[in-house]
Amino acid sequence: MSDGPPSSRPAAAPAPDPAPTAPGAPREAAATVRHGHHHVGHPRARAVVKAVAVLAATAAGGMLILRGNEALTALDTPAAADPRSSASASPDAPDPGRVLQIVAHPDDDLYFMNPDLGYSIAAGHPVTSVYLTSGEADGVNAGSGRAASTRPDKPAYAEARQNGIRAAYAKMATGDRSSAWKRTVIPTKGGGHAEVDVLVARPQINLVWLQMREAGNVYQDVPDSLHGLWDGKVPRLESVLASGSPVRHGFAYTREQVVQTIVGILERYRPTTIRTQDPTPGRFHDSKRYTDHQDHLYGARFVQMATEAYAEQFKERPHFAVQNYVGYFNGSLPRALGPGEAKEKLDILDTYAWLDKENHCGSEAGCGDLKVAEHPSGNGWTQSINYARGTGTTWLTSDAEHGLWAFKVLDGQVALWHRNGLIGRWTGPTLLPGTGMDQGISTVTLKDGRIAAFGTRTSFGDRPADYRREVVYTVQEAPGSEGFGPWQSLGTPETSDADWTSDISAPAVSVDGTGALAVYVRDGASTLRGRVRRPDGGWGPWEAHGGADLHGTPVTGTDGAGRRMVFAATTKSVTGWVQPEPGAPLGPATPTGLPETTLPITAEGREGGVRVWFRKPGSGNVRTALMTGDEGLKATGLTDLGGLQGFGSVTASGHVLAGRSAGGLLGADVGEGQPWQRSPLMFVGAPSSTMTGKNMVSLAVVGLDARLYVTSSADEPDAYLAPWQPVGPRNTAP
């Protein structure tokens, strides 16, 4: 969170212009439309973990269901090794995965990465959190009422924050905030030293303190900071050692030494999931000030550079996925967490803030952060969590032969998994050439049957102004081919990184009834921009489609008449656009009249229109509405589908609806009259699903072990998800 003196700690950000829940809750009776497919029910959250089984063939199902069940059986049967790939289906137990979090300040993880953090610890995953700066701020460990009478002591305040973090992690891991830690010193690859704390009762829980100087101000120009080091305003950034730290000798890092220090930490822990902050949070439109702390965004950029260097320098390592988190701006967005998750998150912040002031840590510096104690919830941050990227649900797609294709970013490259036909063997992950890829891949099937994958790519240079994010895409060489062409750039609608910090969303793509392909992004000014491919294969310019107060990533779908619709969430509702007819330019930005929704939203063409799904703020319940465009853009049939609380993206195909549930596991609704289910999978980013043929639904996630997991279900009443199948070998360190 903010680490400057009280005057630099922002008030609630102004809205821009224009442990798994216990089972047992009952489910309400169904009503009339179901996910917009047959019937939509009004289920109430029910935490039932239902046994999954292969579907039995029924007479009513006919040959299509029989064929579908053969596919489901294959999903749960060890496949013979595919001689073309060492990554054929594997029946072994999943690797738990190793989570590494890298944040700028002590408490950034608690405010912006929880409840993901707590769920990972509760599930037994090895978790390491790395703190780039000491978070020393002005050195005053007191609230505003006692700040004037409290002597500044930066090393002591840094120690108090360390004590608060150790107490918070100990409580999450053991229930006892006083659980012991073993504190040691290790040399860093950048030439300095880091403190490493290991929780004695749970040694897979580690804290790494790099103890660099923090900016001490949210946005103002402070040369001695990560921002100043990034921009070359200072040649080195010095350390500020916490009192009581076993690190005794100060040091200073150049820009390259910071990168190599992080590389060394990655090499030491070999994570499969890396959590970090948002390197492109944008600016407020009126003041042009950052919407996040400068340490957050420039720290995240150092992590970006380090992960790229790590992937290049060390080939004998596990694959890794990256998850970016929204920071301060969470306070301006609708509340993403339900009451239970928000309370648990606040309880951990209360521990960090040392509310009772009992000297349980035996330190004269204090056992927590008394600046936070006045307002442990921050600016509403304990009520939300949002991913900055990787929220799209179209990264899994099928082809005309019922094959499946999955596209996710691993190691900074797009990873491809492929199953040939309905019951073929899986291959992958194969890393497509091209580095610097950001999380968030969207796919679309072109008129000729080929698959196109779109994403964004970040590049660096010697100068700060060389930082750049652009939209890129690749196209399948032929339908069914595992060969894809080179990445092609569509550029960016932004003028420069200095204006909006390269704040463009991941792309949303669709093909209208004429076969015209279009790509849309939300730009740094919170408006919609798009490019359309011309019949000759070239692309038109980036067009401005307006809108205001847009956040997250837009979504798009095509209705029954072949008209393209685009939707984007605002802080109050959802804005939409629709083509008046296929092939025509996109119409004007139109209010949909939908209620306030959390980020993100999902869209899919069905029932003659485009159906959207989103979550109810402060609840986690899933809602849906059908968008039609015959007489202007209209929303009908708004329905609450209930759920298992949770947050983030939901994916919908056929009768299956799935998303992250409270507890961090995948929650799924598989049909009328059945309870929501929890699957034993924690995952990165968003799930994705697709219709495989006319009668099967396929669902996939990438676990915290950076491994693909797939399941399927017949698209029939009373269906079940088949057992999950891991794809490829276990992703473990050599």
Side-chain angles (χ1 to χ4, degrees):
M1 79 176 264
S2 169
D3 293 286
S7 61
S8 74
R9 298 165 76 89
D17 294 334
T21 306
R27 181 185 177 95
E28 292 182 1
T32 52
V33 182
R34 180 76 184 180
H35 309 333
H37 184 59
H38 294 298
H39 301 284
V40 174
H42 291 273
R44 194 169 50 177
R46 182 182 184 187
V48 174
V49 181
K50 198 163 187 176
V52 291
V54 178
L55 287 168
T58 63
M63 291 306 295
L64 285 175
I65 297 299
L66 285 171
R67 188 180 181 193
N69 279 291
E70 291 170 4
L72 292 178
T73 302
L75 283 176
D76 199 38
T77 302
D82 188 336
R84 298 171 301 168
S85 170
S86 61
S88 55
S90 173
D92 58 346
D95 184 75
R98 290 162 303 288
V99 176
L100 183 75
Q101 303 188 151
I102 309 177
V103 296
H105 311 120
D107 80 1
D108 289 344
D109 45 349
L110 305 184
Y111 273 122
F112 308 124
M113 296 176 177
N114 235 351
D116 278 355
L117 167 60
Y119 292 154
S120 300
I121 292 174
H125 293 275
V127 174
T128 296
S129 289
V130 182
Y131 304 91
L132 298 177
T133 77
S134 288
E136 72 278 5
D138 60 355
V140 176
N141 191 20
S144 57
R146 301 188 61 182
S149 60
T150 302
R151 182 178 64 86
D153 187 335
K154 291 185 177 182
Y157 181 49
E159 180 186 351
R161 298 189 75 175
Q162 284 195 9
N163 290 334
I165 288 293
R166 281 188 284 267
Y169 273 73
K171 184 174 181 179
M172 284 188 286
T174 70
D176 176 10
R177 67 179 179 178
S178 300
S179 192
W181 294 83
K182 180 180 180 181
R183 302 171 63 183
T184 59
V185 179
I186 62 168
T188 68
K189 201 164 186 174
H193 289 85
E195 176 181 340
V196 175
D197 300 345
V198 177
L199 186 60
V200 175
R202 293 275 302 277
Q204 67 270 44
I205 308 299
N206 285 203
L207 306 174
V208 179
W209 309 93
L210 298 184
Q211 302 193 88
M212 289 181 279
R213 183 183 301 278
E214 70 140 285
N217 194 284
V218 177
Y219 53 83
Q220 291 180 355
D221 188 11
V222 180
D224 286 321
S225 66
L226 290 168
H227 184 183
L229 188 65
W230 180 273
D231 283 352
K233 293 180 179 179
V234 292
R236 292 176 178 80
L237 184 62
E238 294 181 348
S239 58
V240 176
L241 302 182
S243 57
S245 173
V247 178
R248 302 299 186 190
H249 302 289
F251 49 86
Y253 288 143
T254 64
R255 175 172 163 164
E256 179 58 25
Q257 285 173 326
V258 171
V259 172
Q260 287 305 312
T261 292
I262 300 171
V263 169
I265 298 299
L266 295 169
E267 182 185 4
R268 178 185 180 92
Y269 287 99
R270 301 195 169 201
T272 54
T273 294
I274 299 172
R275 295 173 179 157
T276 185
Q277 295 173 279
D278 185 2
T280 56
R283 301 173 185 263
F284 290 111
H285 303 156
D286 51 357
S287 66
K288 287 297 185 75
R289 292 175 176 175
Y290 303 130
T291 62
D292 207 357
H293 196 295
Q294 59 182 315
D295 282 348
H296 296 178
L297 77 97
Y298 284 99
R301 291 189 177 187
F302 275 109
V303 175
Q304 271 188 306
M305 290 191 73
T307 54
E308 185 172 289
Y310 170 65
E312 174 62 27
Q313 294 174 20
F314 299 96
K315 300 302 183 182
E316 298 300 318
R317 51 161 175 75
H319 293 301
F320 63 87
V322 175
Q323 185 73 70
N324 298 107
Y325 290 80
V326 174
Y328 284 166
F329 204 76
N330 276 309
S332 296
L333 296 171
R335 294 173 298 155
L337 298 178
E341 288 181 304
K343 182 181 183 302
E344 290 177 3
K345 184 171 179 176
L346 180 59
D347 286 346
I348 296 303
L349 263 301
D350 288 348
T351 300
Y352 166 77
W354 190 34
L355 289 188
D356 61 13
K357 296 187 180 178
E358 293 182 4
N359 191 13
H360 60 86
C361 66
S363 170
E364 294 182 1
C367 299
D369 188 347
L370 296 179
K371 286 185 186 294
V372 169
E374 284 190 326
H375 302 286
S377 63
N379 295 331
W381 301 325
T382 58
Q383 297 176 327
S384 271
I385 182 173
N386 281 287
Y387 302 133
R389 309 193 75 77
T391 61
T393 59
T394 63
W395 52 269
L396 179 72
T397 190
S398 58
D399 59 28
E401 301 301 320
H402 309 315
L404 287 175
W405 304 80
F407 302 79
K408 291 283 280 187
V409 176
L410 300 180
D411 312 345
Q413 297 179 248
V414 172
L416 169 66
W417 295 264
H418 174 221
R419 189 194 72 197
N420 185 29
L422 187 64
I423 56 175
R425 294 184 178 93
W426 280 94
T427 60
T430 300
L431 298 183
L432 300 183
T435 61
M437 296 299 298
D438 305 310
Q439 296 298 312
I441 303 299
S442 298
T443 66
V444 66
T445 300
L446 306 180
K447 193 174 182 179
D448 61 7
R450 292 181 298 160
I451 296 169
F454 287 73
T456 61
R457 177 173 62 194
T458 296
S459 57
F460 306 93
D462 294 333
R463 302 173 304 160
D466 293 334
Y467 185 93
R468 175 183 174 86
R469 174 171 280 160
E470 60 185 341
V471 177
V472 294
Y473 73 102
T474 181
V475 180
Q476 196 174 24
E477 292 176 351
S481 170
E482 292 190 5
F484 281 76
W487 290 100
Q488 302 177 63
S489 175
L490 293 177
T492 172
E494 301 288 14
T495 54
S496 72
D497 179 61
D499 287 338
W500 299 114
T501 65
S502 293
D503 181 27
I504 60 172
S505 71
V509 291
S510 63
V511 172
D512 72 5
T514 68
L517 172 63
V519 57
Y520 300 96
V521 298
R522 183 238 345 120
D523 65 13
S526 299
T527 67
L528 186 73
R529 306 290 288 272
R531 293 189 73 175
V532 179
R533 193 168 68 173
R534 300 188 299 261
D536 64 4
W539 288 83
W542 282 105
E543 298 179 17
H545 296 294
D549 186 31
L550 309 183
H551 299 286
T553 296
V555 294
T556 180
T558 305
D559 71 5
R563 294 172 298 205
R564 182 182 295 113
M565 294 185 184
V566 184
F567 302 97
T570 72
T571 55
K572 301 297 182 184
S573 181
V574 175
T575 300
W577 295 257
V578 61
Q579 288 177 303
E581 61 183 21
L586 201 62
T590 304
T592 62
L594 290 170
E596 180 184 60
T597 173
T598 65
L599 300 179
I601 55 178
T602 300
E604 183 184 68
R606 57 167 78 182
E607 304 158 73
V610 173
R611 183 162 285 279
V612 293
W613 291 265
F614 43 87
R615 293 189 190 254
K616 180 180 178 181
S619 162
N621 278 12
V622 178
R623 288 176 162 179
T624 186
L626 182 66
M627 310 303 300
T628 58
D630 291 336
E631 299 177 359
L633 194 62
K634 294 181 180 179
T636 60
L638 176 65
T639 308
D640 194 318
L641 303 174
L644 294 171
Q645 303 296 301
F647 56 89
S649 303
V650 294
T651 184
S653 294
H655 69 291
V656 174
L657 185 68
R660 184 174 276 100
S661 68
L665 304 177
L666 185 78
D669 186 1
V670 293
E672 177 73 26
Q674 297 195 60
W676 285 76
Q677 306 173 13
R678 276 194 180 88
S679 298
L681 279 172
M682 298 188 71
F683 57 95
V684 178
S688 185
S689 60
T690 185
M691 292 298 301
T692 309
K694 295 181 178 179
N695 297 89
M696 296 290 293
V697 179
S698 297
L699 174 63
V701 297
V702 169
L704 295 188
D705 57 352
R707 193 180 187 190
L708 182 70
Y709 292 84
V710 295
T711 183
S712 293
S713 172
D715 192 27
E716 295 290 335
D718 301 321
Y720 295 86
L721 291 178
W724 286 90
Q725 179 194 27
V727 177
R730 295 185 66 179
N731 186 33
T732 54

